Amino acid sequence: MRNTDLFFLILLLTGTFTHIRAGSSECKARSFGQSSVVCECNATYCDSVGHVSLPAVGHFLSFLSSRAGARLQRNQGPVQKNSTGAALRITVVPTEKYQHVKGFGGAMTDAAAMNILSLSSRAQDQLLRQYFSPEGIEYNMVRVPMGSCDFSTRLYTYADLPEDYSLRNFSLAEEDTRMKIPLLQKAQALSARPLSLFASAWSSPAWLKTSGVLIGKGSLKGKPGGKAYKTWAQYYIRFLEEYEKHNLSFWGLTTGNEPTAGELTNYSFQALGFTPELQRDWIAMDLGPTLHSSPYSKTRLIILDDQRLLLPYWARVVLSDIHAAQYVHGIGVHWYLDQFVPAKFTLTATHDLYPEYFILGTEASTGWRNIDRGVRLGSWERAEDYAHDIIEDLNNYVAGWTDWNLALDMSGGPNWVKNFVDSSIIVDQSKDVFYKQPMFYSMAHFSKFLWEGSRRIGLSTSEHTSLETSAFLRPDGSVLLIVLNRSDAEVQFEVWDQTLGFLPTSAPPHSILTLLWATS
Ligand SMILES: *[C@@H]1O[C@H](CO)[C@@H](O)[C@H](O)[C@H]1NC(C)=O
Ligand SMILES: *[C@@H]1O[C@H](CO)[C@@H](O)[C@H](O)[C@H]1NC(C)=O
Ligand SMILES: *[C@@H]1O[C@H](CO)[C@@H](O)[C@H](O)[C@H]1NC(C)=O
Ligand SMILES: *[C@@H]1O[C@H](CO)[C@@H](O)[C@H](O)[C@H]1NC(C)=O
Ligand SMILES: *[C@@H]1O[C@H](CO)[C@@H](O)[C@H](O)[C@H]1NC(C)=O
Ligand SMILES: *[C@@H]1O[C@H](CO)[C@@H](O)[C@H](O)[C@H]1NC(C)=O
């Protein structure tokens, strides 16, 4: 971004912030016949939770979203000295400490970038502010596909010239230079905290592969340590170099999107197959040493980037090898088959084996099953699916959670194989508006409040409850409690902070509640 552009952007933002502070920030609710509503936003208007500052000790803040239509509805109440007598008491146990939080975000796919750019420039800025600015929900992570994936409108990699083993002809695509990069630069500028970008590749160039094509089953030619594997490692470095020229540096890299897709299954779109053994040896012999001896040696290397039910098996194969393990920092999980194996046996089992590696949710979306494919404007069930999975992940040592496409169009695309799904923001280009889905608010209940560096703490309940809960100590010393009620009734309960007292509250039917209070 040129300095003049930046200056203009700052002017524009300052103007809009004043507007938001002065004006109302209520959701402009629209119903499309689903269980709940979307909030409609345009170039000049969007609901906003705004800045959140901690109330004085002795008071607590609560934010509520519900199927009935609340959207981050703010309330403040006093912490009481005496119990309210509610049957259900949730006690926070700050002495019990678990994993640190990395953060929350979404993916800047080609499709997301195209949808955002299909809006007028003021509406584009409005949308980016919703995700990244202190007025918005403050995402701090963005997943960036390296080259094309199914959410692209054509098939390409950055080195499509056959037999270019030295990557002399490596070059970013227009999708990067004209779409994703300018939007990522704006997102970075809007964000008060550093953005952590991480990159994932779907396929290597076709000429490096056994299949000779980008899609379906196929892996790299030859063996780890060989020419194709070395070139594929060097491709990652070239990608980091090119993005750096645009002032975008990457916090992390995954070893590749869904390696089993190109190995076990035969995807109709871009994939590159690895067994865990191949991934281990590629890291040990090629990717690890290449990254380590490059200027990007601090970049976090994240293995798996595939369904969590592959754990702990996949981690055991890769991380029990010290040659590979020394280069690895974390394990990326996708949510698509989560219901088949309890998190305890996948995530917690992996954490118990390898506690020094972080676990990160790297992809999730709704509307991917053929029985309920695509966009459902206003679906509360999908917001609950997100909150349920995030809480379950967090309670099983996951450090953060990344939504899939940041924005899709009204049909859940574009996607060149019509693998349409839903998104937290749906853009209607014909009206120059975008809709914030219930899922957006589900993400917000975590991303806005659960800062990087927070630490999960213990909780105990006085009786069995169907409420799903997770509690954290933030770096500013405050306590955060997130409560999901996926059922139909309302029951009063109280939260007990032994150092302060009792917080009287309740979780309405089908609601998500974030409670926040200072402790000193
Ligand atoms: C990158 O940042 C530097 C220093 O802030 C600035 O001088 C330069 O113009 C930027 N380059 C690009 C491509 O944005
Ligand atoms: C944007 O939305 C606001 C609030 O609904 C409305 O008052 C305004 O007219 C809209 N602007 C445009 C250009 O449609
Ligand atoms: C709190 O409880 C104590 C003893 O149970 C009682 O004496 C006192 O009046 C109560 N305070 C309030 C504000 O209800
Ligand atoms: C590849 O790169 C070389 C040298 O950088 C250049 O001369 C050539 O035109 C490029 N070829 C293609 C097909 O882009
Ligand atoms: C993968 O599927 C395609 C059709 O989508 C088919 O042509 C191809 O033979 C399949 N490959 C394998 C290895 O099953
Ligand atoms: C949430 O809904 C369930 C479903 O019936 C209900 O049992 C529960 O009491 C509700 N609220 C709370 C705070 O538990």
PDB file of all heavy atoms in Angstrom, residues 488-499:
ATOM      1  N   ASP A 488     -34.207 -25.778  24.692  1.00  0.00           N
ATOM      2  CA  ASP A 488     -35.391 -24.936  24.506  1.00  0.00           C
ATOM      3  C   ASP A 488     -35.839 -24.131  25.725  1.00  0.00           C
ATOM      4  O   ASP A 488     -36.686 -23.269  25.597  1.00  0.00           O
ATOM      5  CB  ASP A 488     -36.576 -25.804  24.055  1.00  0.00           C
ATOM      6  CG  ASP A 488     -36.330 -26.388  22.679  1.00  0.00           C
ATOM      7  OD1 ASP A 488     -35.670 -25.698  21.868  1.00  0.00           O
ATOM      8  OD2 ASP A 488     -36.768 -27.518  22.425  1.00  0.00           O
ATOM      9  N   ALA A 489     -35.325 -24.447  26.909  1.00  0.00           N
ATOM     10  CA  ALA A 489     -35.844 -23.801  28.116  1.00  0.00           C
ATOM     11  C   ALA A 489     -34.854 -22.781  28.663  1.00  0.00           C
ATOM     12  O   ALA A 489     -33.689 -22.788  28.315  1.00  0.00           O
ATOM     13  CB  ALA A 489     -36.119 -24.859  29.175  1.00  0.00           C
ATOM     14  N   GLU A 490     -35.346 -21.936  29.538  1.00  0.00           N
ATOM     15  CA  GLU A 490     -34.472 -20.985  30.212  1.00  0.00           C
ATOM     16  C   GLU A 490     -34.377 -21.353  31.685  1.00  0.00           C
ATOM     17  O   GLU A 490     -35.382 -21.643  32.318  1.00  0.00           O
ATOM     18  CB  GLU A 490     -35.026 -19.559  30.078  1.00  0.00           C
ATOM     19  CG  GLU A 490     -34.284 -18.588  30.972  1.00  0.00           C
ATOM     20  CD  GLU A 490     -34.344 -17.151  30.480  1.00  0.00           C
ATOM     21  OE1 GLU A 490     -35.056 -16.915  29.491  1.00  0.00           O
ATOM     22  OE2 GLU A 490     -33.695 -16.300  31.093  1.00  0.00           O
ATOM     23  N   VAL A 491     -33.153 -21.354  32.195  1.00  0.00           N
ATOM     24  CA  VAL A 491     -32.962 -21.644  33.610  1.00  0.00           C
ATOM     25  C   VAL A 491     -31.980 -20.621  34.164  1.00  0.00           C
ATOM     26  O   VAL A 491     -30.991 -20.280  33.542  1.00  0.00           O
ATOM     27  CB  VAL A 491     -32.421 -23.080  33.813  1.00  0.00           C
ATOM     28  CG1 VAL A 491     -31.741 -23.228  35.175  1.00  0.00           C
ATOM     29  CG2 VAL A 491     -33.544 -24.085  33.709  1.00  0.00           C
ATOM     30  N   GLN A 492     -32.295 -20.124  35.351  1.00  0.00           N
ATOM     31  CA  GLN A 492     -31.396 -19.179  36.001  1.00  0.00           C
ATOM     32  C   GLN A 492     -30.185 -19.925  36.528  1.00  0.00           C
ATOM     33  O   GLN A 492     -30.289 -21.086  36.897  1.00  0.00           O
ATOM     34  CB  GLN A 492     -32.116 -18.507  37.180  1.00  0.00           C
ATOM     35  CG  GLN A 492     -33.438 -17.863  36.804  1.00  0.00           C
ATOM     36  CD  GLN A 492     -33.258 -16.670  35.908  1.00  0.00           C
ATOM     37  OE1 GLN A 492     -32.424 -15.819  36.189  1.00  0.00           O
ATOM     38  NE2 GLN A 492     -34.029 -16.590  34.836  1.00  0.00           N
ATOM     39  N   PHE A 493     -29.063 -19.248  36.537  1.00  0.00           N
ATOM     40  CA  PHE A 493     -27.911 -19.835  37.216  1.00  0.00           C
ATOM     41  C   PHE A 493     -27.036 -18.709  37.725  1.00  0.00           C
ATOM     42  O   PHE A 493     -27.276 -17.539  37.427  1.00  0.00           O
ATOM     43  CB  PHE A 493     -27.128 -20.784  36.297  1.00  0.00           C
ATOM     44  CG  PHE A 493     -26.434 -20.118  35.129  1.00  0.00           C
ATOM     45  CD1 PHE A 493     -25.069 -19.852  35.183  1.00  0.00           C
ATOM     46  CD2 PHE A 493     -27.130 -19.785  33.979  1.00  0.00           C
ATOM     47  CE1 PHE A 493     -24.414 -19.269  34.110  1.00  0.00           C
ATOM     48  CE2 PHE A 493     -26.485 -19.189  32.902  1.00  0.00           C
ATOM     49  CZ  PHE A 493     -25.130 -18.931  32.968  1.00  0.00           C
ATOM     50  N   GLU A 494     -26.036 -19.065  38.506  1.00  0.00           N
ATOM     51  CA  GLU A 494     -25.113 -18.044  38.980  1.00  0.00           C
ATOM     52  C   GLU A 494     -23.688 -18.522  38.750  1.00  0.00           C
ATOM     53  O   GLU A 494     -23.426 -19.718  38.658  1.00  0.00           O
ATOM     54  CB  GLU A 494     -25.352 -17.727  40.461  1.00  0.00           C
ATOM     55  CG  GLU A 494     -25.061 -18.897  41.382  1.00  0.00           C
ATOM     56  CD  GLU A 494     -25.357 -18.569  42.842  1.00  0.00           C
ATOM     57  OE1 GLU A 494     -26.015 -17.550  43.120  1.00  0.00           O
ATOM     58  OE2 GLU A 494     -24.916 -19.353  43.703  1.00  0.00           O
ATOM     59  N   VAL A 495     -22.807 -17.542  38.603  1.00  0.00           N
ATOM     60  CA  VAL A 495     -21.397 -17.850  38.450  1.00  0.00           C
ATOM     61  C   VAL A 495     -20.717 -17.403  39.731  1.00  0.00           C
ATOM     62  O   VAL A 495     -21.013 -16.320  40.257  1.00  0.00           O
ATOM     63  CB  VAL A 495     -20.811 -17.094  37.238  1.00  0.00           C
ATOM     64  CG1 VAL A 495     -19.322 -17.401  37.088  1.00  0.00           C
ATOM     65  CG2 VAL A 495     -21.573 -17.443  35.966  1.00  0.00           C
ATOM     66  N   TRP A 496     -19.845 -18.253  40.248  1.00  0.00           N
ATOM     67  CA  TRP A 496     -19.164 -17.906  41.484  1.00  0.00           C
ATOM     68  C   TRP A 496     -17.681 -17.722  41.221  1.00  0.00           C
ATOM     69  O   TRP A 496     -17.004 -18.627  40.738  1.00  0.00           O
ATOM     70  CB  TRP A 496     -19.390 -19.002  42.535  1.00  0.00           C
ATOM     71  CG  TRP A 496     -18.899 -18.631  43.908  1.00  0.00           C
ATOM     72  CD1 TRP A 496     -18.744 -17.378  44.410  1.00  0.00           C
ATOM     73  CD2 TRP A 496     -18.516 -19.537  44.947  1.00  0.00           C
ATOM     74  NE1 TRP A 496     -18.285 -17.424  45.705  1.00  0.00           N
ATOM     75  CE2 TRP A 496     -18.137 -18.746  46.061  1.00  0.00           C
ATOM     76  CE3 TRP A 496     -18.461 -20.920  45.061  1.00  0.00           C
ATOM     77  CZ2 TRP A 496     -17.700 -19.301  47.266  1.00  0.00           C
ATOM     78  CZ3 TRP A 496     -18.030 -21.482  46.258  1.00  0.00           C
ATOM     79  CH2 TRP A 496     -17.653 -20.673  47.355  1.00  0.00           C
ATOM     80  N   ASP A 497     -17.208 -16.493  41.490  1.00  0.00           N
ATOM     81  CA  ASP A 497     -15.775 -16.216  41.494  1.00  0.00           C
ATOM     82  C   ASP A 497     -15.424 -16.068  42.968  1.00  0.00           C
ATOM     83  O   ASP A 497     -15.847 -15.096  43.615  1.00  0.00           O
ATOM     84  CB  ASP A 497     -15.489 -14.930  40.706  1.00  0.00           C
ATOM     85  CG  ASP A 497     -14.014 -14.553  40.713  1.00  0.00           C
ATOM     86  OD1 ASP A 497     -13.315 -14.892  41.698  1.00  0.00           O
ATOM     87  OD2 ASP A 497     -13.560 -13.909  39.751  1.00  0.00           O
ATOM     88  N   GLN A 498     -14.686 -17.032  43.508  1.00  0.00           N
ATOM     89  CA  GLN A 498     -14.473 -17.088  44.960  1.00  0.00           C
ATOM     90  C   GLN A 498     -13.798 -15.853  45.524  1.00  0.00           C
ATOM     91  O   GLN A 498     -13.914 -15.577  46.708  1.00  0.00           O
ATOM     92  CB  GLN A 498     -13.704 -18.354  45.331  1.00  0.00           C
ATOM     93  CG  GLN A 498     -14.618 -19.575  45.299  1.00  0.00           C
ATOM     94  CD  GLN A 498     -13.846 -20.861  45.130  1.00  0.00           C
ATOM     95  OE1 GLN A 498     -13.321 -21.130  44.052  1.00  0.00           O
ATOM     96  NE2 GLN A 498     -13.774 -21.646  46.184  1.00  0.00           N
ATOM     97  N   THR A 499     -13.073 -15.115  44.679  1.00  0.00           N
ATOM     98  CA  THR A 499     -12.410 -13.917  45.193  1.00  0.00           C
ATOM     99  C   THR A 499     -13.340 -12.706  45.195  1.00  0.00           C
ATOM    100  O   THR A 499     -13.053 -11.704  45.843  1.00  0.00           O
ATOM    101  CB  THR A 499     -11.173 -13.558  44.342  1.00  0.00           C
ATOM    102  OG1 THR A 499     -11.615 -13.260  43.016  1.00  0.00           O
ATOM    103  CG2 THR A 499     -10.184 -14.706  44.299  1.00  0.00           C
TER     104      THR A 499
END
